[in-house]
Amino acid sequence: MPTMLPLWLLASLLAVSQTLPFEQKGFWDFTLDDGLPMLNDEEASGAETTSGVPDLDSLTPTFSAMCPFGCHCHLRVVQCSDLGLKAVPKEISPDTTLLDLQNNDISELRRDDFKGLQHLYALVLVNNKISKIHEKAFGPLRKLQKLYISKNHLVEIPPNLPSSLVELRIHDNRIRKVPKGVFSGLRHMNCIEMGGNPLENSGFEPGAFDGLKLNYLRISEAKLTGIPKDLPETLNELHLDHNRIQAIELEDLLRYSKLYRLGLGHNQIRMIENGSLSFLPTLRELHLDNNKLSKVPSGLPDLKLLQVVYLHTNNITKVGVNDFCPVGFGVKRAYYNGISLFNNPVPYWEVQPATFRCVTDRLAIQFGNYKK
């Protein structure tokens, strides 16, 4: 049974602009900082007029008497979640900056549903039954930066998204195709979460991401068999976990030299071609757990900033003394603080201590627990 989020938690979205996580465990978890320095919305998008916090002083006076029946309204936050609503309610105050409509039964967004809401900053439509969106439904939302429309029945990316948009979360829908031009004009966008859709590699038209300068992209829990081509080369985080990827070929990562984090866990990867990782000079975190690798990928010692490597639950049978650390001194700029190798058929007693000479301490290494 969905529970109603307290108003103070909703309002906190308007007061903080924080980094994006590697793994989102709950709907609101992405507001928490996980410790890795990342660009904020403005730095990543290059936007000068948008901000992580709306300028409340510049907004119109509060229309405190206007609040839809059954909703809770406070400090320009209108919470109408968990009410069984069939449509977007009327009488929403024009000065509203956050509108929460999650966990309802809304099936359609009509042309005038958001009329007059020109100050809206965040719109939450998660867990409804939305399958149809009028092409001009988002027209009035000239200041919208965050649109959360996950867990609905959408079969396509909504048309005519607001040009002010910074963050789009549209995971767990029924989207099979990302056509060219669907993100046209979204020059401030830096985060798209579109996992949990039945997307195959053929579903991405050439040029689908043209013009985007994304910082973060997640296409997990889809039907990908390889790394998609022509993703934005500005990416700092790319998460393709829980797909059907079988191999990483030499040029798959060629254009992603700015990646800090790469998530490829829970795939079917058997082979990573030699030299593939050399295109990722700024990589700090690499997730290759729950695959079918038989050896430690080559090239790890050359990644001077790499700090975390997840290789647990593979078929690795041997760990060489130079698999992780470079030969000599002064080459690696950041020591490892996490290497996971548990649940692999490695005879751990044969691994030489010098193998982990560039690890912060022994607690950073996870061995053992292998079962046939």
Side-chain angles (χ1 to χ4, degrees):
M1 181 71 122
T3 56
M4 184 178 295
L5 294 168
L7 282 173
W8 66 265
L9 182 55
L10 286 169
S12 69
L13 270 181
L14 303 179
V16 294
S17 177
Q18 300 216 25
T19 58
L20 298 164
F22 181 79
E23 182 176 1
Q24 180 182 323
K25 295 183 175 64
F27 178 70
W28 297 103
D29 288 353
F30 61 83
T31 63
L32 303 178
D33 189 358
D34 64 357
L36 185 71
M38 294 296 296
L39 299 177
N40 58 31
D41 291 348
E42 300 74 53
E43 293 171 331
S45 66
E48 296 178 0
T49 57
T50 59
S51 170
V53 183
D55 183 3
L56 299 182
D57 294 333
S58 67
L59 301 183
T60 55
T62 304
F63 294 77
S64 56
M66 297 181 66
C67 189
F69 179 77
C71 301
H72 296 269
C73 304
H74 183 64
L75 294 176
R76 300 181 176 88
V77 173
V78 177
Q79 185 183 25
C80 302
S81 61
D82 303 274
L83 295 177
L85 298 175
K86 304 291 185 182
V88 176
K90 304 297 183 182
E91 299 183 355
I92 299 173
S93 174
D95 70 342
T96 299
T97 53
L98 193 154
L99 176 58
D100 176 21
L101 294 167
Q102 66 179 310
N103 303 328
N104 282 294
D105 296 320
I106 300 170
S107 60
E108 180 181 357
L109 299 182
R110 297 165 297 191
R111 175 171 181 165
D112 294 328
D113 277 349
F114 305 112
K115 186 177 181 180
L117 300 182
Q118 65 268 25
H119 298 294
L120 199 65
Y121 165 81
L123 176 59
V124 183
L125 292 160
V126 175
N127 197 29
N128 276 276
K129 299 176 181 178
I130 300 170
S131 61
K132 185 177 180 181
I133 298 178
H134 192 279
E135 63 178 9
K136 296 185 178 180
F138 298 125
L141 307 180
R142 297 192 300 270
K143 296 184 178 180
L144 190 72
Q145 291 193 28
K146 299 179 183 289
L147 175 59
Y148 308 136
I149 196 166
S150 305
K151 298 184 178 180
N152 279 283
H153 299 165
L154 296 175
V155 296
E156 64 179 2
I157 306 289
N160 303 319
L161 293 168
S163 60
S164 56
L165 207 60
V166 171
E167 183 176 335
L168 173 64
R169 295 187 179 259
I170 196 168
H171 55 86
D172 293 293
N173 276 279
R174 301 172 182 177
I175 298 169
R176 295 180 179 273
K177 184 178 180 180
V178 182
K180 181 177 181 178
V182 71
F183 299 120
S184 178
L186 302 180
R187 64 187 183 92
H188 300 311
M189 181 82 79
N190 76 3
C191 168
I192 296 180
E193 156 66 274
M194 58 193 310
N197 285 290
L199 281 163
E200 300 180 1
N201 287 74
S202 59
F204 296 93
E205 288 189 359
F209 294 93
D210 280 359
L212 287 181
K213 296 181 179 180
L214 292 184
N215 167 276
Y216 177 102
L217 177 62
R218 184 187 291 268
I219 318 177
S220 301
E221 299 176 79
K223 296 183 178 181
L224 302 179
T225 55
I227 295 179
K229 309 296 183 184
D230 300 325
L231 299 179
E233 60 185 14
T234 56
L235 284 171
N236 291 147
E237 299 197 32
L238 175 60
H239 305 291
L240 303 174
D241 312 87
H242 293 274
N243 276 286
R244 303 171 183 175
I245 300 172
Q246 299 181 15
I248 308 298
E249 297 180 356
L250 183 60
E251 297 185 357
D252 283 351
L253 301 171
L254 177 63
R255 61 186 281 116
Y256 309 126
S257 61
K258 296 180 175 64
L259 281 182
Y260 289 175
R261 288 175 174 152
L262 176 58
L264 291 166
H266 292 271
N267 276 281
Q268 301 171 20
I269 300 172
R270 296 178 180 272
M271 184 272 294
I272 298 178
E273 192 171 350
N274 290 347
S276 299
L277 300 179
S278 65
F279 300 114
L280 309 177
T282 63
L283 194 67
R284 290 165 168 79
E285 192 166 316
L286 176 61
H287 289 218
L288 286 165
D289 55 285
N290 290 276
N291 277 286
K292 298 181 179 181
L293 295 171
S294 59
K295 63 179 182 179
V296 176
S298 64
L300 296 183
D302 299 322
L303 300 177
K304 298 178 181 180
L305 299 176
L306 189 62
Q307 299 174 49
V308 175
V309 183
Y310 287 177
L311 290 167
H312 55 270
T313 316
N314 275 280
N315 297 322
I316 298 171
T317 58
K318 182 180 179 180
V319 177
V321 69
N322 294 319
D323 278 352
F324 293 97
C325 301
V327 178
F329 299 95
V331 179
K332 192 163 177 60
R333 293 169 54 187
Y335 275 42
Y336 289 102
N337 54 45
I339 296 177
S340 68
L341 284 161
F342 64 88
N343 203 19
N344 277 291
V346 177
Y348 299 104
W349 55 90
E350 295 181 3
V351 178
Q352 300 181 38
T355 301
F356 304 110
R357 57 191 177 275
C358 59
V359 179
T360 51
D361 60 63
R362 274 182 280 177
L363 295 178
I365 307 165
Q366 299 180 19
F367 268 156
N369 301 321
Y370 176 70
K371 295 181 179 180
K372 291 184 179 180

